[in-house]
Amino acid sequence: MSGGVDQNPEWLATSIMHRRGASAGREGETHSLTEERQSTYHYTIGPYSEPVLHIKPGDRVVVETRDAFAGALKSERDKPSELLRVPFLNPQNGPIMVEGAEKGDALAVYIESMWPRGENPVGTCANIAEFGGLTGTLYTAMLNEPLPEKVRKISVDREKVYWSDRVTLPYKPHIGTLSVSPEIDSISSLTPDQHGGNMDLPDMGPGSVTYLPVRSSGARLFIGDAHACQGDGECCGTAVEYPTTTTIVVDVIKGWTLDWPRLERADFIMAIGSARPLEDATRIAFRDLIRWMVADYGFDIWDAYMMLSQCALVRLGNFVDPKYTMGAGIRKTFVEE
Amino acid sequence: MSGGVDQNPEWLATSIMHRRGASAGREGETHSLTEERQSTYHYTIGPYSEPVLHIKPGDRVVVETRDAFAGALKSERDKPSELLRVPFLNPQNGPIMVEGAEKGDALAVYIESMWPRGENPVGTCANIAEFGGLTGTLYTAMLNEPLPEKVRKISVDREKVYWSDRVTLPYKPHIGTLSVSPEIDSISSLTPDQHGGNMDLPDMGPGSVTYLPVRSSGARLFIGDAHACQGDGECCGTAVEYPTTTTIVVDVIKGWTLDWPRLERADFIMAIGSARPLEDATRIAFRDLIRWMVADYGFDIWDAYMMLSQCALVRLGNFVDPKYTMGAGIRKTFVEE
Amino acid sequence: MSGGVDQNPEWLATSIMHRRGASAGREGETHSLTEERQSTYHYTIGPYSEPVLHIKPGDRVVVETRDAFAGALKSERDKPSELLRVPFLNPQNGPIMVEGAEKGDALAVYIESMWPRGENPVGTCANIAEFGGLTGTLYTAMLNEPLPEKVRKISVDREKVYWSDRVTLPYKPHIGTLSVSPEIDSISSLTPDQHGGNMDLPDMGPGSVTYLPVRSSGARLFIGDAHACQGDGECCGTAVEYPTTTTIVVDVIKGWTLDWPRLERADFIMAIGSARPLEDATRIAFRDLIRWMVADYGFDIWDAYMMLSQCALVRLGNFVDPKYTMGAGIRKTFVEE
Amino acid sequence: MSGGVDQNPEWLATSIMHRRGASAGREGETHSLTEERQSTYHYTIGPYSEPVLHIKPGDRVVVETRDAFAGALKSERDKPSELLRVPFLNPQNGPIMVEGAEKGDALAVYIESMWPRGENPVGTCANIAEFGGLTGTLYTAMLNEPLPEKVRKISVDREKVYWSDRVTLPYKPHIGTLSVSPEIDSISSLTPDQHGGNMDLPDMGPGSVTYLPVRSSGARLFIGDAHACQGDGECCGTAVEYPTTTTIVVDVIKGWTLDWPRLERADFIMAIGSARPLEDATRIAFRDLIRWMVADYGFDIWDAYMMLSQCALVRLGNFVDPKYTMGAGIRKTFVEE
């Protein structure tokens, strides 16, 4: 994870996206999905919303994402309980229709850059009552008093996240929610699952390619929930949530039928599972990584299983959303011949 | 749980439904929701489908439910993996629009009777690969070989379920899936959650009233997934799935804002939680029961909590669906003054 | 579950204990394990403590159990946090050495009666900080403030538990903790597992036989933690904890090698699993019940699995101890030919 | 994680161990704990075993650890099910008594080096039936057939782990099991918990200091279970298990009362939780890290919680042992002023 840089890295030419994409390396058109064009942001990911854009494999889209609170938290004195209303959290751009994508294909989304949007950009982190990893919640129902509500406004620039007088963090953006549409269900933008969704995985930033399992014609891509930085697990439930200009390049890999999202970066590949309890998210990620190593890299299943026991890379995305997200990865040097 | 009887019990006149229902005891109209009228059954529970019926509080609906396999498993030699296709499982009747039901109200559904439909009625139980409580699944991802596929066809009549040469079980029907629509999401009919859904709770049979949290105008009631009998937990993933004629009476309780489904029978009240892991479903059910005792029966919260530790009734609905379901109840004699 | 009665029921003559016990029906000797004789109660269940009694298969032991707080909570004004000290909770009588019991055998413990001990017997229920089902705990670590500490003193007699001015509950005693020793580990008396331990299962009262997997010579039986009544799940973490005179009859079933505890009552058999998350406790109980049906009642494994999906009885013991306990049972009429 | 190097790094002079240790920087004595001296290895961690060594704070111990199979798996044709017997797995050296360590103190264990022991050193990885992350187990009880048993013998030297013809992994050793004794319980060496135990955390290698909560006089240190390398999660249940010469330096931090183990390396501090489900292990680790930041680094609790949401480092130790282990850490640059 580096910063929000634009320059496409050399390894991209060897990525699965470039080798197998339907664009066949064709330089695509660039589309602009501004706030105006998006107009209505979405809080549920499904087949029932109106497309905002039609693109071709290889096309680039410059997306104006809103923060996860849709801008409702304006000051540190704001109370989330007064200003936020479930299920209208985590607004998504889209759906973007991708020509030629059909059920059974994979959608490839390369994140080219993520930059803070607006003058004097500011991110927002909130401690929301009955939401987060160390508190009783809607599902982990407790009788304890909720934690105190807190709102933090954090200045952000293209290098740094100015957390507090004491601590400055590096700017390491990623996209929290990236989805294709389920076949017939429509899933809250707060929830990750097989379709992608609210994975909150720090590796899913500039320089990464995410592969998503297409379940309907046109794939119906949704994107939103940018984080200027996020720790593993997103423990309090929110990251440095901020509005961005996020640039993606989209491609279609025909006939690559996935069960769960996958991710590729310069030096590793990663399978992503989302479920509760957290061990199930972990199991999903590991099983899918093993199946990937068997199908695409020629490993014997038991060799892959036992070898990952020696060299797997695990990333906790979140343990705060309605389903938790884990990534299981392996360095490319260990799988490529 | 008794059989599928029609005669309305005396206690019903003292039920929450009768005391607080918008029908005010008015004897309603009887509607018929036949297979023909339903025409298209639904596999996702949400606000995007076309209503099949408009009713008033107090009305009765006679519903022709299909079995959970939509009749696809016709013989014990059938292979579920060849004939069933996710997400097209567990067909639902509805949506039924209920006049006057608005977000923040509760929908009351009294099950008057459930009877096997057709001549020589037969139920179906299937052991489906990677589905069930004692096998690796989509979420509890394992590398083990799946269990053998099995289909059982079981004769059913109004008294008995003829499981095998050796064992005959009593006919104790219940409805597996009972839902109102979420506000903007559309949830697979296989999944239980706050809206009801696939709870698979054996207490939800003839003689019970279920209260569901209305989230949209008209409530949008869905119903399906009848079981001629089911053990606690539905361990193999399916019950004696069969087509029925199910008769319900529907009412609206204005201003009774629920977070989760609740149930009432002659002798107990029960709150119902659905989540993973199973302790979270249990926590939800207990917290909601405590809140109910505090709000409607005048208990102190800590007295309720500590007293339930001495006399709660717990029912495991299922530990096989995408979310697990638990009911936590208490005898009416302990809460009513 | 009936009361604390002494009269042995007729079915006992047909129980597994009587049919397969090493005592061969011999009327044994009666031993008395008073507080004086016990002298040092135990807070860890293992092979490292000094035996207090040596008995023969078929012998009866009259045990004076202490309450789970070892009597430390004397008034409703007491503060558990000041008077209780982990790990010195849940005192156990024993170990009782049983002649002829060897690793690979099962120990059978029939509970003949449980009666309140002392004049004006009083039970105690406590809400202990960071303990219980609806609060953050040592393991489900939260940042919320703990729940308020509460102590309730409850009069108990041989018929009733006088919970409050408003509510009187029936006297339905059971033993919370019943164990044999692990082979080399020594496990906190607060924790249930394969050796039995703190299962807190309401069915384990007078009129039940519990079968435990012997792992060391003499079995090393421990017993304690009597509850005058307990709801399913023991939601606040404690029941009506009270001192008793508990009478048990102990036998050995040679060569019946169990993985987990099992229980028998007049009308059903039950397998018992303890684990986290709660679905794993449920899986253990169901798998062990299926294996039991296959080994001892001649069922085909898939028939047993699918049939339990139609008629299993599930009992939640606790979801508050370091491991949670579930029982999965079936009526004897469905397994016996 | 670097290799097995001996040279003590500069940062160690600024470590908590050096700043607060009872040795006050005194260069201690070096002890040798050979296989001969150990003689009997232990499979349960508790207060009931005979000390093998008495040391002073600041002393160095050179320990000959055995592999987790106690050398029983000698060839790739061996069958674990025939040669391994629960609970006799994961042999531990110790207990080592540390002068001056009392309940309420922390024991500091710096790992100076870990080197393969013996000529032509060979590690062993086994796929054991009903053990591992992607299979039904004793606790996650399934009816599926177990996975195939496999044994891999892997050459190891001071630079590399020769996994297969295709893949060579770097030598990155760590100690899988590091413990002090519980107060009265004795816990299987396969299980991690508050006392340390079988955490299988890859960060716990040469160059790390682990802090353990002392619960009995002398601390009773146990150590074993060396891994020549291990991936995050140890997915198949075993790592490259091998016999080592492991050199540790031990100190006592008087009055530093810990609830759970903690770890320090050159660039980060980490709290370690072990529990099921995995989210509970994660919660424990995060809460303990927050408490640490508040107590020792002057953070406000809510600032720490929300800041970790932006910059925490999470390491999955294992999701295969009887309890799962997670570490939650933060870079020292973010906490030190």
Side-chain angles (χ1 to χ4, degrees), chain A residues 324-336:
Chain A
Y324 307 139
T325 299
M326 273 286 206
I330 186 169
R331 291 186 191 285
K332 286 180 173 177
T333 52
F334 297 150
V335 291
E336 292 177 347

Side-chain angles (χ1 to χ4, degrees), chain A residues 270-293:
Chain A
M270 181 175 274
I272 303 167
S274 295
R276 289 192 181 197
L278 187 52
E279 54 264 38
D280 274 4
T282 312
R283 285 168 174 142
I284 290 165
F286 268 101
R287 181 167 77 173
D288 196 48
L289 179 58
I290 290 168
R291 288 178 170 176
W292 193 359
M293 289 168 65

Side-chain angles (χ1 to χ4, degrees), chain A residues 130-153:
Chain A
E130 308 238 302
F131 187 68
L134 299 185
T135 177
T137 63
L138 175 67
Y139 293 112
T140 305
M142 301 287 171
L143 294 176
N144 305 76
E145 287 297 310
L147 303 186
E149 293 188 87
K150 300 271 177 188
V151 174
R152 290 286 288 269
K153 301 299 285 191

Side-chain angles (χ1 to χ4, degrees), chain B residues 47-58:
Chain B
Y48 306 106
S49 42
E50 212 54 51
V52 290
L53 202 63
H54 289 76
I55 68 172
K56 289 194 167 61

Side-chain angles (χ1 to χ4, degrees), chain C residues 74-212:
Chain C
K74 293 185 169 38
S75 126
E76 298 200 342
R77 288 176 305 281
D78 282 346
K79 285 212 170 306
S81 58
E82 292 169 2
L83 295 166
L84 306 180
R85 191 161 71 80
V86 174
F88 301 100
L89 289 169
N90 200 11
Q92 299 295 304
N93 294 74
I96 300 169
M97 308 305 283
V98 186
E99 191 179 286
E102 296 294 338
K103 183 173 176 181
D105 298 338
L107 193 76
V109 182
Y110 174 67
I111 302 179
E112 201 169 85
S113 66
M114 294 179 67
W115 298 116
R117 191 152 59 85
E119 282 181 74
N120 305 316
V122 172
T124 307
C125 176
N127 193 25
I128 299 170
E130 308 238 303
F131 188 68
L134 298 185
T135 177
T137 62
L138 175 67
Y139 294 112
T140 305
M142 300 286 172
L143 294 176
N144 305 76
E145 287 297 310
L147 303 184
E149 294 188 87
K150 299 271 177 189
V151 173
R152 291 286 288 268
K153 302 299 285 190
I154 310 109
S155 286
V156 171
D157 65 25
R158 293 164 76 106
E159 295 292 334
K160 299 286 184 191
V161 173
Y162 301 91
W163 176 258
S164 65
D165 289 352
R166 181 170 170 175
V167 178
T168 299
L169 301 167
Y171 179 67
K172 281 191 187 173
H174 76 109
I175 200 76
T177 309
L178 191 62
S179 322
V180 289
S181 174
E183 189 165 0
I184 58 173
D185 298 330
S186 191
I187 296 179
S188 163
S189 58
L190 293 172
T191 304
D193 207 320
Q194 293 182 275
H195 68 298
N198 191 22
M199 296 170 279
D200 290 322
L201 192 84
D203 302 294
M204 202 170 282
S208 70
V209 190
T210 301
Y211 302 98
L212 296 166

Side-chain angles (χ1 to χ4, degrees), chain B residues 133-134 152 163 166 230-232 234-236 238-240 278-279 283 297 299 303 305 309-310 312 314 335, chain C residues 125 133-134 152 163 166 230-232 234-236 238-240 278-279 283 297 299 303 305 309-310 312 314 335:
Chain B
L134 299 185
R152 291 285 288 268
W163 175 259
R166 181 170 169 175
Q230 186 206 291
D232 299 343
E234 201 185 13
C235 65
C236 90
T238 56
V240 177
L278 187 51
E279 53 265 38
R283 286 168 174 142
Y297 298 95
F299 279 83
D303 184 37
Y305 183 39
S309 206
Q310 316 319 324
V314 166
V335 292
Chain C
C125 176
L134 298 185
R152 291 286 288 268
W163 176 258
R166 181 170 170 175
Q230 186 206 290
D232 299 343
E234 202 186 13
C235 65
C236 89
T238 56
V240 177
L278 187 51
E279 53 265 38
R283 287 168 174 142
Y297 298 94
F299 279 84
D303 185 37
Y305 183 41
S309 206
Q310 318 317 325
V314 165
V335 292

Side-chain angles (χ1 to χ4, degrees), chain B residues 269 289-290 292-301 303-304 307 311 330-337, chain C residues 152 154 160-170:
Chain B
I269 58 169
L289 180 58
I290 290 168
W292 193 359
M293 289 168 66
V294 169
D296 291 2
Y297 298 95
F299 279 83
D300 167 77
I301 183 172
D303 184 37
M307 189 174 104
C311 63
I330 185 168
R331 288 185 192 286
K332 288 180 172 177
T333 51
F334 297 149
V335 292
E336 293 175 346
E337 294 188 277
Chain C
R152 291 286 288 268
I154 310 109
K160 299 286 184 191
V161 173
Y162 301 91
W163 176 258
S164 65
D165 289 352
R166 181 170 170 175
V167 178
T168 299
L169 301 167

Side-chain angles (χ1 to χ4, degrees), chain D residues 127-154:
Chain D
N127 194 25
I128 299 169
E130 307 238 303
F131 188 69
L134 299 184
T135 178
T137 62
L138 175 67
Y139 294 112
T140 305
M142 301 286 171
L143 293 177
N144 305 75
E145 287 297 310
L147 304 185
E149 293 188 88
K150 298 272 177 189
V151 173
R152 290 285 288 268
K153 301 300 284 191
I154 310 110

